[in-house]
């Protein structure tokens, strides 16, 4: 079924132009709470870019940044070498701190809290944060990202950015001339493995079954590549190395035998899950589980609700694409608010008494 993007027939968000003192002061019926122009859920490159743009548009964005995961996926990595503007690369956490500071410079209100409930239908959206406070907003940008699936091993997190990676496009370059491994059996695992042969001397593809889930064409690519060795029926049960990956422990899924594989890198390619739990029953999702948006826009199936970054992207999932998508969402929010404020003004004029009906001015 294709998503239903039918816009709301009548939205009255108030006649006051967005971003003005009056609109910020607008009150809601069910409490003494400000109706914000925009609340952004998520503080990765998508969320902060949306905050920079909406901040500069004087919309005073509120960013619900997350309580322990503020800054998003790049907080887990070391050097980022492919984000434009940094000749010598930049550390992931530093890049995110810079984006946050830039958003705050334009008035973003960044709150280190998790959103625990979203009520997205209706003209005024409700965002409940941990602790019970309810924020109200005319628009919401969903920028909650996507979580790479992990193996669940003790040393996986510790060695993340030190040999363990979830992104060949991001980190392949660091493994020039090395002997590395990829875990997984789907299309993306084989794509990562073949991409990594551009850099590594040898790529061992580890799969826990005796056949791949990947498409025939992708499988052929792996079988034909002289730099790829495939280990069937093996699963990684341990990663060792003091400050960098040195060796993997593998268990044979048929015999239970344990063996060691010396490698300096491990790419985990067992899939990812868009973080949609909070709103998957309210906006339409694609078959891949990402948020469905209309064309190249950020518009979801609900008016006034926009999405940005990895949460809507099953394919590219890079910091720079997430940032670009945050920009798109911010501009869509601006257009939405301007359009509905203009519509509300038109309605006011239609309902205002005509000159003849007005009481005569006193002389
Ligand atoms: C280890 C690693 C290394 C990477 N290296 C690179 C690289 O070198 N170059 C590159 O371009 N890309 C890299 N990527 C990919 C890149 O990090 C992502 O594509 C990008 O961060 C996506 O941005 P995003 O804003 O969509 O989501 P995220 O960065 O995932 O941010 C999502 C945000 O949503 C918040 N959130 C989620 N749920 C809630 C909630 N209920 N309440 C409040 N907040 C919530 C999280 O706290 C987080 O702040 C890497 C990814 C990983 C995991």
């Amino acid at each position: 079924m294709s998503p239903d993007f039918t816009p709301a027939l009548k939205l009255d968000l108030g006649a006051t132009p967005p971003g003005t003192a009056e609109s910020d002061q607008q009150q809601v019926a069910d409490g003494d709470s400000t109706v914000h122009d925009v609340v952004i859920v998520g503080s990765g490159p998508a969320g902060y870019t949306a905050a920079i743009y909406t901040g500069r548009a004087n919309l005073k964005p509120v960013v619900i940044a997350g309580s322990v995961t503020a800054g998003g996926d790049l907080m887990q990595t070391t050097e980022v070498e492919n984000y434009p503007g940094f000749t010598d690369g930049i550390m992931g956490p530093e890049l995110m701190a810079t984006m946050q500071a830039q958003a705050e410079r334009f008035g973003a209100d960044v709150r280190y809290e998790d959103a625990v409930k979203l009520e997205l239908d209706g003209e005024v959206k409700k965002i409940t944060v941990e602790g019970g406070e309810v924020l109200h907003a005319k628009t919401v940008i969903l920028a909650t990202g996507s979580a790479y699936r992990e193996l669940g091993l003790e040393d996986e997190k510790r060695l993340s950015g030190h040999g363990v990676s979830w992104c060949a496009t991001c980190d392949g370059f660091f493994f020039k001339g090395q002997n590395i491994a990829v875990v997984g059996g789907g299309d993306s695992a084989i794509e990562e493995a073949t991409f990594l042969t551009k850099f590594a001397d040898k790529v061992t593809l580890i799969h826990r079954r005796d056949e791949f889930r990947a498409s025939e064409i992708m499988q052929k690519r792996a079988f034909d590549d002289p730099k790829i060795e495939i280990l069937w029926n093996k699963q990684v049960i341990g990663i060792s190395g003091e400050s960098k990956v040195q060796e993997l422990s593998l268990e044979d899924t048929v015999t239970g035998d344990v063996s060691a594989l010396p490698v300096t890198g491990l790419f985990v390619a067992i899939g990812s899950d868009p973080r949609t739990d909070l709103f998957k029953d309210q906006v339409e999702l694609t078959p891949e589980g990402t948020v469905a948006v209309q064309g190249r826009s950020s518009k979801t199936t609900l008016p006034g609700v926009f999405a940005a970054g990895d949460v809507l992207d099953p394919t590219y999932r890079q910091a720079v694409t997430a940032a670009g998508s945050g920009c798109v969402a911010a501009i869509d929010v601006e257009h939405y608010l301007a359009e509905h404020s203009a519509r509300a003004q038109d309605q006011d004029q239609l309902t205002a008494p005509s000159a003849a009906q007005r009481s005569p001015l006193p002389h």
Side-chain angles (χ1 to χ4, degrees):
M1 192 181 75
S2 70
D4 174 13
F5 291 104
T6 317
L9 289 174
K10 177 179 167 289
L11 279 180
D12 180 1
L13 296 176
T16 329
T20 62
E22 292 80 0
S23 73
D24 294 328
Q25 296 305 315
Q26 195 179 328
Q27 304 294 301
V28 285
D30 62 346
D32 182 28
S33 177
T34 302
V35 180
H36 299 279
D37 281 327
V38 56
V39 167
I40 298 164
V41 185
S43 57
Y48 279 145
T49 304
I52 291 165
Y53 274 77
T54 51
R56 290 190 79 243
N58 201 24
L59 297 179
K60 299 183 173 58
V62 176
V63 181
I64 308 299
S67 55
V68 286
T69 53
D73 278 357
L74 288 183
M75 300 300 282
Q76 298 170 38
T77 194
T78 48
E79 195 143 28
V80 178
E81 285 196 325
N82 54 9
Y83 197 83
F86 300 94
T87 320
D88 301 319
I90 181 168
M91 299 305 272
E94 191 186 340
L95 176 59
M96 295 319 299
T98 310
M99 282 191 203
Q100 178 180 344
Q102 194 177 354
E104 286 175 332
R105 183 182 153 215
F106 297 114
D109 174 3
V110 178
R111 304 187 185 184
Y112 296 102
E113 295 168 320
D114 286 324
V116 293
K117 187 175 174 194
L118 301 180
E119 292 160 82
L120 298 172
D121 58 350
E123 292 170 17
V124 176
K125 327 289 176 196
K126 290 185 187 173
I127 303 98
T128 308
V129 295
E130 249 174 350
E133 190 192 349
V134 181
L135 304 180
H136 297 86
K138 296 173 185 173
T139 64
V140 171
I141 297 177
L142 307 169
T144 47
S146 163
Y148 286 101
R149 288 189 200 141
E150 297 178 1
L151 295 169
L153 299 172
E154 209 183 319
D155 293 304
E156 190 177 0
K157 272 265 185 313
R158 179 177 66 83
L159 292 168
S160 165
H162 301 278
V164 176
S165 173
W166 283 265
C167 176
T169 313
C170 315
D171 298 332
F173 189 79
F174 298 119
F175 293 87
K176 272 189 179 159
Q178 299 183 33
N179 184 357
I180 62 177
V182 173
V183 188
D187 274 349
S188 61
I190 295 184
E191 199 171 311
E192 303 261 293
T194 45
F195 175 78
L196 287 165
T197 58
K198 289 185 191 179
F199 312 100
D201 275 355
K202 181 179 174 191
V203 178
T204 305
L205 187 50
I206 302 165
H207 187 41
R208 63 187 168 164
R209 291 191 240 281
D210 59 1
E211 58 181 358
F212 288 129
R213 269 179 295 114
S215 57
E216 290 293 322
I217 188 162
M218 292 302 288
Q219 295 196 33
K220 185 169 177 337
R221 228 183 260 180
F223 296 146
D224 290 350
D225 195 319
K227 281 186 166 183
I228 296 180
E229 183 186 346
I230 301 167
L231 289 184
W232 302 107
N233 295 324
K234 297 277 187 295
Q235 62 182 359
V236 182
I237 56 167
I239 310 168
S240 53
E242 268 306 302
S243 56
K244 210 176 168 316
V245 171
Q246 282 177 333
E247 192 175 272
L248 306 180
S249 294
L250 304 181
E251 183 183 66
D252 190 298
T253 53
V254 179
T255 64
D257 290 348
V258 174
S259 56
L261 180 71
V263 287
T264 48
L266 172 65
F267 285 80
V268 182
I270 54 175
S272 70
D273 299 303
R275 295 190 195 97
T276 57
D277 280 354
L278 270 185
F279 46 80
K280 64 182 177 200
D281 299 330
Q282 301 179 64
V283 297
E284 189 155 329
L285 304 182
T286 65
E288 289 104 340
T290 50
V291 176
V293 290
Q294 188 181 4
R296 295 180 63 212
S297 81
S298 65
K299 295 174 192 168
T300 72
T301 40
L302 281 180
V305 180
F306 303 86
D310 283 7
V311 76
L312 64 73
D313 185 348
T315 312
Y316 302 106
R317 292 200 303 248
Q318 291 291 288
V320 68
T321 51
S325 167
C327 159
V328 169
I331 292 173
D332 284 343
V333 161
E334 280 178 58
H335 289 169
Y336 174 90
L337 290 172
E339 193 183 309
H340 289 99
S341 133
R343 209 179 282 177
Q345 277 171 347
D346 287 349
Q347 277 169 358
D348 276 1
Q349 277 167 11
L350 280 175
T351 50
S354 66
Q357 291 169 319
R358 274 186 229 128
S359 42
L361 288 170
H363 293 287

